[in-house]
Amino acid sequence: MILCTFCAIAIFSSAQEKFSIRGIADEELNNQLLYLCLMDDGEKAKEVILDSAKVKKGKFSFSGVHQMPDIAIIKDMDGETYPLIFEKGEISVNIAANKRGGTPLNDSLNIALNRMQLIMDNMLKTSYVYEKDFKELEENKKK
């Protein structure tokens, strides 16, 4: 009886929900396949492909049923990845602009990734300035 109770709790706590992903892609991806993937929880963390979609006239879509929330990626044929979060609602993804949204968690993920990109850009600029200054110092020492 206790075992049945724990099984019921496990089943109902990981509810499967419908998801819908609508996307826009670069024209260069027309007629190419995109893959909707999850990362396996195993030690090797390999990707598990859930679905594929062909880009037609710069648009693609995925839909299905999955446990929510969960982290997923859309992967193109060149291996570029675009993260998103499975959650109830219609998720929008713009691969061309590297944006996702349409649902609360994906809106938050988009904000976080944009902020992280700003930090990365600033780090690159800073390292370039330091590298340039360092080279100038070394050249001045030689004189």
Side-chain angles (χ1 to χ4, degrees):
M1 182 70 165
I2 293 172
L3 181 59
C4 290
T5 304
F6 283 121
C7 288
I9 290 170
I11 290 169
F12 291 115
S13 67
S14 61
Q16 301 248 332
E17 299 270 355
K18 289 183 181 181
F19 69 88
S20 174
I21 301 169
R22 304 278 178 248
I24 298 171
D26 294 323
E27 287 186 22
E28 64 192 34
L29 293 176
N30 278 339
N31 298 315
Q32 290 190 26
L33 284 176
L34 297 177
Y35 299 95
L36 180 62
C37 306
L38 291 174
M39 297 306 288
D40 185 21
D41 289 338
E43 286 181 23
K44 295 183 182 178
K46 70 177 190 175
E47 297 166 358
V48 176
I49 297 173
L50 295 179
D51 198 1
S52 63
K54 191 175 232 181
V55 178
K56 295 178 184 174
K57 297 182 181 178
K59 296 183 180 185
F60 64 92
S61 66
F62 298 100
S63 60
V65 177
H66 188 73
Q67 177 182 339
M68 297 196 193
D70 203 353
I71 297 172
I73 58 170
I74 294 174
K75 187 173 182 177
D76 67 20
M77 300 293 284
D78 294 329
E80 292 291 324
T81 58
Y82 310 92
L84 59 99
I85 299 174
F86 274 129
E87 66 179 314
K88 193 174 184 176
E90 185 156 320
I91 301 164
S92 61
V93 177
N94 184 332
I95 287 177
N98 196 18
K99 294 184 178 182
R100 76 276 311 129
T103 58
L105 291 175
N106 281 291
D107 291 340
S108 296
L109 176 62
N110 196 61
I111 291 168
L113 290 174
N114 285 340
R115 288 181 180 166
M116 198 165 64
Q117 186 62 50
L118 286 172
I119 292 168
M120 297 291 287
D121 291 346
N122 285 332
M123 287 174 57
L124 284 173
K125 286 178 189 174
T126 303
S127 67
Y128 173 75
V129 169
Y130 283 132
E131 184 178 324
K132 184 179 166 189
D133 289 346
F134 182 76
K135 284 181 182 178
E136 286 177 11
L137 283 171
E138 290 297 313
E139 287 176 11
N140 287 337
K141 284 181 182 178
K142 291 178 183 178
K143 292 180 183 180

